Amino acid sequence: IFVLGIGFFTLCFLMTSLGGQFSAKRLGDSPFTVRTEVMGALESRGVLRRMSDMLEMLMKRMDILARLENNTDFHKGDEARFPLDRFQPAAGLMERIQAIAQNVSDIAIKVDQILRNSLLNGKGMEGRRDQCEVPRDPKYPDCAGKVEWMRARWTSDPCYAFFGVDGTECSFLIYLSEVEWFCPPLPWRNRTVAAPSPPPRPPVQAAFQSDLAQLLELIGTGKESLSFMKKRIRHLAQQWLRAAQRLEQKLKGRQRDQKHILIHIGFLTEESGDVFSPRVLKGGPLGEMVQWADILAALFLLGHSLRVTVSLKELQSHLGVPPGRGNCPLTSPLPFDLIYTDYHGLQQMKQHMGLSFKKYRCRVRVIDTFGTEPAYNHEEYATLRGYRTNWGYWNLQPTQFMTMFPHTPDNSFMGFVSEELNQTERQLIKSNKVSSMAVVYGKEASIWKGKEKFLAILNKYMEIHGTVYYETQRPPEVPAFVKNHGLLPQHEFQQLLRKAKLFIGFGFPYEGPAPLEAIANGCVFLQARFNPPHSSLNHEFFRGKPTSREASVSSQHPYAEDFIGKPHVWTVDYNNSEEFEAAVKTIMRTQVDPYLPYEYTCEGMLERIHAYIQHQDFCTTSSPPLPPKTKSPAMQSPPSPLVLSPNATHLVWSPSASQDPQAWPPVDSLQVWVSESQHTCTQTCRRHGLVCEPTFFRFLNKEEVFLQLSITCDSTEYEMNHLYPAVAENVHECYLQKEPLLFSCAGYNTKYRRLCPCRDFQQGQVALCRDCL
């Protein structure tokens, strides 16, 4: 009875206290509603403390009662059972009250923390947290919808709380107006807005660097792939340094702004699987790592400030990514002028940069081995026309993609380097060549499968060497008459090539660096002709890649076939045994010197990257004007800067036309040719000894160009098609390009003859026109 009385008394006291404290509150308010007023906060804390204290006092009194019971004689004998049984409900009540006391204590602590934060935020918002309304401003049509989304989803990513969002309407509007830009600034936030961004850094002049040890330290350690790249840089160090000195003399002290550059090698991150590092020592493909090593060396020697990352955590740190799942913009302006990455890194950046990715994507350069054609790059067009793949649809400028070989002018040719020989080494190689020695291109046993017929013919004339990886047993795919050296270090492989007469490919891998290395070491490269050419339309390897490569992959190495050719490169039909055997016999009698195209020397690559950094600006380049909606007779178009060439076969830039000094390549290198119906613009320009230049399409995309070329147009339409501008001659219909991102040198249709922008190029440096440097 005593215990129950105490409980009843305590309950009445609590009800009276709570009733008094909250009697002034609005109907329906919870006793634990968070208020921003100071008095309300203090009162709430007081109530919670008193509740906790009273429950604790009650618990102490019951504990005293229990000790008194333990000291009595009621516990002795049979009669002790009755009093003890009657006390058990009191013991259970004590446990319940103790649990309630602990819960109330925990609630008090949590509410105290919430109130502290609420008070601090409330002061900054001048007590207006519950008074914000969504503004109706026609300049911000998405504001209301974004606020609605925030109401439902603001807890989906911790980054919103990082920026101060706490579930109130005001915090939504502050975030959407000051962190993002979907809502207008709040008038009463004028004095609390963030300080203006610091002024841009004063430009620093780039100076050629020579201490490659600094670069090796930047690259880091911990992966076999990184070790491979550092070994390559060390091996070519002297060639890089000599090339940098020659380019410095060629530029004659020309001013160059130093760029802050982030190099993020996405395919080496753990999040992308890093499938290359474990295969470096097992014969895996090394082409990508060769290229990245050379890119790092070139950027460093040109004097730019570099940061190198191969992990997602480092990437987030360098970019200033807020904590969370990547829905929020960066916490500060991007500190890098350029970012070199790959498709894996591009995906990681988009995932973690929020809206900032769209803002800064013009600074990205994507190292893309096989290239990305405009039809695959434009998201809407790719989806509508069936060009959507796993890797395209980024809506970048196509020249932001940088390839290993210059097979598609729509992208920029980045390339890599091969070792250059001095005159003494060249003579030594020529004197030590073994005319009956051949090396097979292929470190993986699967490449040799099914090639017994070719190998048997070759074995009649030459000693065959292989470099196929194996751990314990010789791969059964490699015939017994082949001398297999296993996987060789790079310098030992070079020595093997310097002795061999022939380097033979069996159709795969496509477009790797090894054939160029073999040719540079005095080998003849023999490869198979593909009929029909391989492409994403008929071959599994290219399926899913963002390129059709229609009619261009006519052999294992199209660059070697088209840009080098005989006597260094022979392309034959392997299905024709007689042609194959005749080629082997002729190659054995042919004398060739070591040959390396200039664009694959260290100096050639330095020159090319220097030109890109100085002239390619995708952040300020304006789009061509949209087609006029109506044509007034009074409106007169400005005179065309193009004129008919003296032999009336094509258009050229008029000598009297003004030139934009900022335009690159220079416009006076432009020639306009009309393709045949079955030819791409890439093929059309090449037939005239030129290169297709997609940045010049904007000068062709006009009605008067058709007239200047004496093309009859009964109608002219603007449409979204990667083959336009073009003419359907049978029906006299002309088509102009509606979407600038779709200007493309690739693609053809027998229905159309295309207008193709071509330019000249430097001998041995196809990426640059004669006046481009």
Side-chain angles (χ1 to χ4, degrees):
I1 292 172
F2 175 77
V3 171
L4 293 175
I6 292 175
F8 180 77
F9 170 79
T10 304
L11 182 61
C12 292
F13 181 83
L14 287 174
M15 292 176 65
T16 304
S17 299
L18 291 175
Q21 291 292 338
F22 296 103
S23 60
K25 307 300 178 188
R26 293 172 296 179
L27 186 63
D29 274 1
S30 164
F32 300 104
T33 299
V34 176
R35 309 292 294 176
T36 58
E37 292 83 6
V38 175
M39 289 304 296
L42 294 175
E43 291 168 358
S44 299
R45 287 195 187 97
V47 172
L48 289 167
R49 288 198 187 101
R50 279 193 286 275
M51 288 173 62
S52 181
D53 291 343
M54 286 184 291
L55 288 168
E56 186 178 356
M57 182 172 59
L58 177 61
M59 188 176 61
K60 287 179 179 179
R61 290 177 180 174
M62 293 193 68
D63 187 60
I64 292 171
L65 180 61
R67 285 201 300 271
L68 289 172
E69 276 302 313
N70 289 335
N71 291 332
T72 63
D73 292 334
F74 288 107
H75 292 285
K76 299 176 183 178
D78 294 338
E79 53 273 74
R81 294 192 188 97
F82 179 71
L84 189 60
D85 291 341
R86 294 204 39 194
F87 188 74
Q88 284 177 352
L93 180 61
M94 179 180 171
E95 291 175 0
R96 292 190 188 97
I97 293 175
Q98 185 176 6
I100 293 170
Q102 183 62 45
N103 289 337
V104 171
S105 178
D106 293 341
I107 292 171
I109 293 171
K110 291 177 182 177
V111 171
D112 188 72
Q113 291 173 347
I114 294 171
L115 288 170
R116 286 178 184 274
N117 293 334
S118 181
L119 284 170
L120 290 173
N121 292 334
K123 291 177 182 178
M125 294 176 59
E126 300 176 351
R128 301 190 181 203
R129 298 188 75 84
D130 295 328
Q131 301 175 21
C132 292
E133 294 184 1
V134 178
R136 306 295 176 182
D137 189 331
K139 296 179 183 178
Y140 298 88
D142 299 322
C143 183
K146 290 291 181 180
V147 171
E148 191 66 32
W149 187 95
M150 291 290 286
R151 287 194 195 109
R153 301 290 303 279
W154 76 272
T155 57
S156 63
D157 193 323
C159 72
Y160 297 118
F162 173 82
F163 281 110
V165 177
D166 59 8
T168 62
E169 208 81 347
C170 288
S171 68
F172 297 155
L173 292 172
I174 291 171
Y175 174 84
L176 291 171
S177 62
E178 296 178 14
V179 180
E180 297 184 7
W181 45 88
F182 293 105
C183 294
L186 301 175
W188 52 272
R189 287 282 296 181
N190 283 344
R191 61 188 180 85
T192 60
V193 294
S197 300
R201 300 182 299 266
V204 176
Q205 293 304 307
F208 284 90
Q209 301 185 77
S210 58
D211 185 7
L212 284 168
Q214 296 179 29
L215 174 61
L216 299 178
E217 187 176 344
L218 276 174
I219 293 174
T221 58
K223 292 177 180 286
E224 285 294 341
S225 48
L226 297 180
S227 299
F228 172 86
M229 291 160 63
K230 291 164 76 171
K231 287 178 184 176
R232 177 174 175 81
I233 292 171
R234 289 192 199 97
H235 180 67
L236 295 173
Q238 293 306 311
Q239 293 197 27
W240 278 117
L241 293 174
R242 289 194 294 268
Q245 291 172 359
R246 291 194 295 268
L247 181 59
E248 186 174 15
Q249 294 170 1
K250 188 183 294 186
L251 295 177
K252 298 176 182 177
R254 194 177 305 170
Q255 297 294 301
R256 301 182 300 117
D257 289 343
Q258 185 189 62
K259 305 293 184 181
H260 292 264
I261 301 176
L262 175 66
I263 296 103
H264 176 62
I265 311 177
F267 73 87
L268 293 183
T269 61
E270 298 301 328
E271 288 76 12
S272 68
D274 188 13
V275 297
F276 284 89
S277 291
R279 300 174 65 189
V280 169
L281 301 178
K282 297 183 179 181
L286 301 177
E288 285 85 351
M289 280 173 281
V290 164
Q291 188 180 33
W292 274 108
D294 296 345
I295 291 170
L296 285 163
L299 291 173
F300 179 82
L301 289 168
L302 287 169
H304 299 293
S305 173
L306 308 184
R307 290 289 180 272
V308 183
T309 69
V310 291
S311 78
L312 184 56
K313 189 174 182 180
E314 288 177 321
L315 175 68
Q316 292 172 318
S317 173
H318 286 307
L319 294 179
V321 174
R325 299 188 178 92
N327 289 310
C328 298
L330 302 182
T331 56
S332 58
L334 186 70
F336 300 103
D337 303 303
L338 293 170
I339 299 176
Y340 286 82
T341 188
D342 52 28
Y343 262 123
H344 293 283
L346 196 63
Q347 182 65 49
Q348 290 167 353
M349 288 167 58
K350 182 180 180 182
Q351 183 179 352
H352 293 278
M353 289 175 68
L355 291 173
S356 295
F357 178 78
K358 185 175 183 180
K359 179 179 179 180
Y360 293 120
R361 65 183 176 183
C362 61
R363 304 188 191 184
V364 173
R365 305 293 183 266
V366 184
I367 307 304
D368 177 14
T369 303
F370 295 100
T372 298
E373 293 175 4
Y376 294 81
N377 170 62
H378 191 281
E379 183 174 17
E380 179 186 356
Y381 185 77
T383 304
L384 291 174
R385 299 296 186 93
Y387 291 102
R388 182 86 181 221
T389 66
N390 293 333
W391 300 104
Y393 62 83
W394 287 92
N395 291 325
L396 300 178
Q397 293 292 333
T399 38
Q400 287 179 256
F401 297 98
M402 303 187 132
T403 58
M404 183 171 280
F405 291 95
H407 43 59
T408 170
D410 290 322
N411 304 148
S412 298
F413 163 47
M414 171 59 77
F416 58 94
V417 304
S418 287
E419 189 168 356
E420 200 171 359
L421 306 177
N422 59 38
Q423 195 59 35
T424 303
E425 291 171 325
R426 292 164 65 91
Q427 291 299 327
L428 190 62
I429 286 175
K430 288 178 67 176
S431 62
N432 290 337
K433 279 291 178 185
V434 180
S435 60
S436 60
M437 178 178 173
V439 175
V440 175
Y441 180 19
K443 294 174 291 186
E444 296 186 8
S446 59
I447 296 172
W448 295 64
K449 190 174 183 179
K451 305 302 187 297
E452 297 83 1
K453 183 179 178 181
F454 314 135
L455 290 168
I457 296 173
L458 185 62
N459 188 48
K460 288 167 37 178
Y461 303 96
M462 307 183 87
E463 181 181 81
I464 305 173
H465 294 251
T467 57
V468 182
Y469 169 80
Y470 64 94
E471 291 183 356
T472 54
Q473 295 183 341
R474 178 188 175 98
E477 294 88 349
V478 181
F481 55 76
V482 175
K483 185 176 181 181
N484 186 29
H485 300 263
L487 194 64
L488 292 177
Q490 186 67 13
H491 69 280
E492 293 185 28
F493 181 62
Q494 293 274 359
Q495 295 302 318
L496 191 65
L497 292 177
R498 292 183 179 188
K499 289 183 181 179
K501 177 74 174 184
L502 177 65
F503 189 63
I504 181 171
F506 286 149
F508 191 83
Y510 295 103
E511 300 179 312
L516 287 190
E517 293 180 355
I519 295 167
N521 282 285
C523 293
V524 173
F525 178 50
L526 177 63
Q527 63 172 347
R529 179 184 297 114
F530 299 149
N531 189 17
H534 291 180
S535 72
S536 61
L537 306 177
N538 64 13
H539 202 273
E540 189 62 34
F541 177 82
F542 289 102
R543 195 163 291 125
K545 292 180 171 59
T547 173
S548 296
R549 299 292 298 277
E550 296 169 316
S552 64
V553 188
S554 56
S555 62
Q556 181 174 353
H557 208 290
Y559 175 84
E561 178 185 7
D562 296 333
F563 288 86
I564 300 177
K566 290 182 180 179
H568 302 280
V569 179
W570 288 62
T571 305
V572 302
D573 182 4
Y574 278 26
N575 293 321
N576 186 328
S577 299
E578 293 180 358
E579 183 182 354
F580 178 81
E581 189 168 358
V584 171
K585 291 179 182 178
T586 306
I587 289 169
M588 292 179 67
R589 297 191 301 267
T590 304
Q591 295 295 321
V592 297
D593 293 332
Y595 172 72
L596 179 62
Y598 175 73
E599 54 202 353
Y600 284 98
T601 65
C602 293
E603 185 177 353
M605 186 167 184
L606 282 171
E607 186 179 276
R608 191 164 58 249
I609 294 182
H610 155 74
Y612 289 153
I613 291 176
Q614 294 304 308
H615 298 292
Q616 284 186 336
D617 184 353
F618 302 109
C619 298
T620 58
T621 303
S622 59
S623 300
L626 293 174
K629 293 182 180 179
T630 59
K631 263 195 170 180
S632 167
M635 293 175 60
Q636 292 186 355
S637 300
S640 172
L642 302 172
V643 295
L644 204 60
S645 65
N647 58 6
T649 57
H650 60 282
L651 300 180
V652 296
W653 194 267
S654 172
S656 61
S658 60
Q659 296 191 29
D660 181 359
Q662 302 299 319
W664 193 83
V667 290
D668 57 4
S669 64
L670 167 64
Q671 296 183 27
V672 183
W673 289 84
V674 182
S675 77
E676 298 297 327
S677 58
Q678 70 274 20
H679 286 165
T680 67
C681 280
T682 301
Q683 294 170 310
T684 299
C685 294
R686 189 176 295 163
R687 284 162 61 94
H688 298 290
L690 303 168
V691 173
C692 183
E693 179 52 63
T695 60
F696 286 157
F697 267 112
R698 64 185 188 274
F699 301 117
L700 282 60
N701 202 43
K702 301 174 182 177
E703 271 187 83
E704 56 263 31
V705 175
F706 291 113
L707 299 176
Q708 289 180 288
L709 290 165
S710 301
I711 295 173
T712 302
C713 298
D714 292 342
S715 65
T716 304
E717 301 290 338
Y718 278 88
E719 292 184 12
M720 194 167 66
N721 191 308
H722 72 286
L723 302 179
Y724 296 165
V727 56
E729 284 191 319
N730 293 340
V731 291
H732 302 291
E733 293 177 349
C734 297
Y735 300 92
L736 297 175
Q737 181 60 257
K738 184 179 179 181
E739 172 51 69
L741 284 181
L742 285 173
F743 284 136
S744 177
C745 295
Y748 71 93
N749 187 311
T750 54
K751 175 183 175 182
Y752 301 119
R753 297 184 68 194
R754 301 187 57 190
L755 300 190
C756 298
C758 308
R759 63 160 170 84
D760 58 34
F761 61 93
Q762 296 180 23
Q763 189 63 34
Q765 183 73 288
V766 71
L768 304 180
C769 67
R770 289 171 189 161
D771 298 322
C772 275
L773 189 58

